[in-house]
């Protein structure tokens, strides 16, 4: 039996990759916001600690925003590789994936403009660009949820049509796929709740979440992402 991996070595391995490092920063960011939001509502001493944790969370979020300045080419390469999804068996899944890739591709430049405006690199209203980037993120999440639901429907139908010796093996493979898609849906729904919160007030629950609830939703999504990455089934999250 192989020896268990050293936790420190495992963490170093995760931090050496861009995607792994982003997962860790994201989890810390939302974890600090969750803890800070809870503490900020209590006694003066705990409230001060809460404000400090919220400040750390804000800086980690800014760090991720800056790092995403370099994500456009990677996203473009992925979108070009996927193309129109000719390898997909299901037409609905194919076009949902294409639209999802398009929303993700448009998200990045909108966020970059918003960041540049806040940094006084360019002169424009950053608020409308932040709103636009958040809208594209929310659209991407909705498309991803619908795509996962469609895949679950396809897997259920495929399982019903399987008979004979391959049934047991098919059951294991399909169960793993179902688990991955369910986790993706839960992660995307948690992120979508935050995306709506960050849209202009007046739209659904926009602007209604306290910091701790934003942190909770983000932490749930982040932990799911960390788990999916650890089993090799990670998906993108902002």
């Amino acid at each position: 039996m192989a020896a268990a991996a050293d936790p420190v070595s495992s963490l170093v391995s995760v931090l050496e990759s861009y995607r792994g490092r982003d997962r860790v920063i994201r989890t810390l960011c939302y974890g600090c916001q969750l803890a800070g939001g809870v503490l900020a509502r209590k006694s003066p001493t705990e409230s001060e600690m809460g404000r400090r944790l919220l400040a750390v969370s804000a800086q980690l979020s800014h760090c991720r925003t800056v790092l995403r300045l370099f994500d456009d080419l990677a996203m473009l390469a992925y979108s070009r590789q996927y193309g129109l999804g000719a390898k997909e068996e299901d037409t609905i899944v194919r076009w949902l994936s294409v639209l999802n890739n398009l929303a993700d591709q448009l998200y990045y430049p909108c966020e970059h403009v918003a960041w540049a405006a806040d940094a006084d690199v360019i002169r424009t209203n950053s608020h409308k660009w932040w709103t636009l980037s958040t809208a594209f993120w929310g659209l991407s999440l909705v498309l991803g949820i619908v795509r996962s639901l469609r895949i679950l429907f396809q897997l259920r139908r495929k399982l019903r049509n399987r008979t004979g010796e391959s049934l047991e093996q098919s059951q294991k493979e399909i169960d793993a796929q179902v688990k991955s898609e369910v986790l993706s849906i839960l992660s995307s729904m948690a992120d979508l709740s935050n995306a709506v919160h960050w849209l202009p007030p007046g739209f659904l629950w926009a602007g209604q979440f306290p910091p701790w609830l934003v942190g909770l939703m983000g932490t749930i999504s982040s932990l799911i992402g960390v788990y999916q990455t650890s089993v090799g089934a990670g998906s993108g999250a902002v």
Side-chain angles (χ1 to χ4, degrees):
M1 182 179 294
D6 177 14
V8 175
S9 299
S10 299
L11 178 59
V12 170
S13 178
V14 169
L15 293 175
E16 282 179 343
S17 70
Y18 170 77
R19 187 60 59 189
R21 187 184 304 119
D22 182 67
R23 296 283 191 191
V24 172
I25 296 174
R26 188 183 200 271
T27 304
L28 289 174
C29 173
Y30 282 116
C32 287
Q33 186 164 10
L34 172 58
V38 171
L39 291 175
R41 304 172 57 180
K42 297 190 175 183
S43 66
T45 301
E46 293 177 324
S47 179
E48 177 61 26
M49 177 60 71
R51 284 193 290 270
R52 292 179 182 180
L53 287 172
L54 290 175
V56 170
S57 174
Q59 290 302 312
L60 291 173
S61 178
H62 181 69
C63 171
R64 295 185 67 232
T65 300
V66 173
L67 290 175
R68 282 196 296 270
L69 293 172
F70 307 97
D71 281 357
D72 299 73
L73 290 179
M75 185 66 223
L76 180 60
Y78 174 79
S79 297
R80 290 185 62 185
Q81 181 183 16
Y82 187 85
L84 296 179
K87 295 181 180 180
E88 295 284 0
E89 297 179 1
D90 184 66
T91 302
I92 295 177
V93 170
R94 178 189 310 161
W95 286 107
L96 284 171
S97 298
V98 170
L99 292 174
N100 197 339
N101 290 341
L102 180 60
D104 286 340
Q105 194 70 63
L106 293 173
Y107 161 82
Y108 288 109
C110 292
E111 185 187 56
H112 301 341
V113 172
W115 167 84
D118 282 347
D120 293 327
V121 176
I122 59 176
R123 292 185 179 180
T124 187
N125 179 10
S126 68
H127 178 71
K128 66 179 182 181
W129 290 102
W130 284 120
T131 299
L132 193 56
S133 68
T134 302
F136 279 126
W137 180 36
L139 176 60
S140 173
L141 292 168
V142 170
L143 290 169
I145 291 170
V146 176
R147 179 181 181 275
S148 290
L149 290 172
R150 175 65 180 178
I151 291 174
L152 288 175
F153 172 79
Q154 293 291 91
L155 290 173
R156 183 180 180 184
R157 187 168 66 178
K158 183 183 294 185
L159 186 59
R160 286 179 175 177
N161 295 335
R162 290 294 178 92
T163 58
E165 297 179 357
S166 64
L167 182 60
E168 183 177 352
Q169 182 63 28
S170 297
Q171 180 72 54
K172 292 179 180 179
E173 294 175 354
I174 291 176
D175 284 348
Q177 287 182 277
V178 167
K179 181 179 180 181
S180 176
E181 296 302 332
V182 169
L183 288 174
S184 293
I185 291 172
L186 293 175
S187 176
S188 294
M189 290 181 66
D191 281 335
L192 182 60
S193 67
N194 279 343
V196 172
H197 164 72
W198 284 318
L199 289 173
F203 179 74
L204 298 178
W205 57 86
Q208 300 299 312
F209 281 9
W212 70 265
L213 185 53
V214 174
L216 177 62
M217 293 295 103
T219 299
I220 291 172
S221 172
S222 298
L223 291 177
I224 291 174
V226 169
Y227 172 76
Q228 289 181 310
T229 299
S230 70
V231 297
S235 59
V238 176

